Amino acid sequence: MEEEEMERILDGFLEHGREVTERTEAKEGEEGSGREMVLRLSTLGFCIQGLMRGTREIEMELLELLQKENPSSHINLCEIYYTIQEVNV
């Protein structure tokens, strides 16, 4: 995934969380519970964002390492992943 796509997914998640919170507050009539939910969803979104960025960094470093080990080969991580999955089935 590209950085922009990851940001778009995370923004969509957070926006959906805000909408759910607003609906919950309207039904319950309590602001506190909605605010707690927003805080929890924001925390979850922050963690997901860090995980996605970390995963992307690992992917890029792994690709660089594989390319250094095999300079004449084209490395496709998705292809390697699916080949491993087929072997393990």
Side-chain angles (χ1 to χ4, degrees):
M1 253 187 243
E2 295 298 322
E3 186 75 23
E4 294 155 2
E5 187 177 358
M6 289 190 296
E7 290 294 326
R8 186 180 50 79
I9 290 170
L10 185 60
D11 289 344
F13 171 78
L14 293 175
E15 182 60 35
H16 181 68
R18 281 188 210 104
E19 291 172 5
V20 168
T21 303
E22 288 171 2
R23 279 189 255 142
T24 303
E25 284 181 355
K27 287 181 183 176
E28 295 179 4
E30 298 177 22
E31 276 190 38
S33 63
R35 288 183 180 159
E36 288 177 18
M37 188 182 298
V38 168
L39 179 61
R40 289 179 182 144
L41 289 173
S42 296
T43 303
L44 179 61
F46 178 78
C47 293
I48 290 171
Q49 181 182 27
L51 180 63
M52 289 169 63
R53 284 188 177 156
T55 302
R56 182 68 176 156
E57 288 175 20
I58 290 170
E59 180 184 351
M60 297 307 292
E61 294 296 323
L62 179 61
L63 187 58
E64 184 180 330
L65 176 65
L66 289 172
Q67 197 63 48
K68 283 183 181 179
E69 293 290 321
N70 305 296
S72 62
S73 301
H74 173 71
I75 306 296
N76 184 338
L77 292 178
C78 290
E79 185 178 304
I80 294 170
Y81 172 78
Y82 290 122
T83 302
I84 291 171
Q85 292 301 316
E86 288 175 6
V87 170
N88 288 330
V89 171

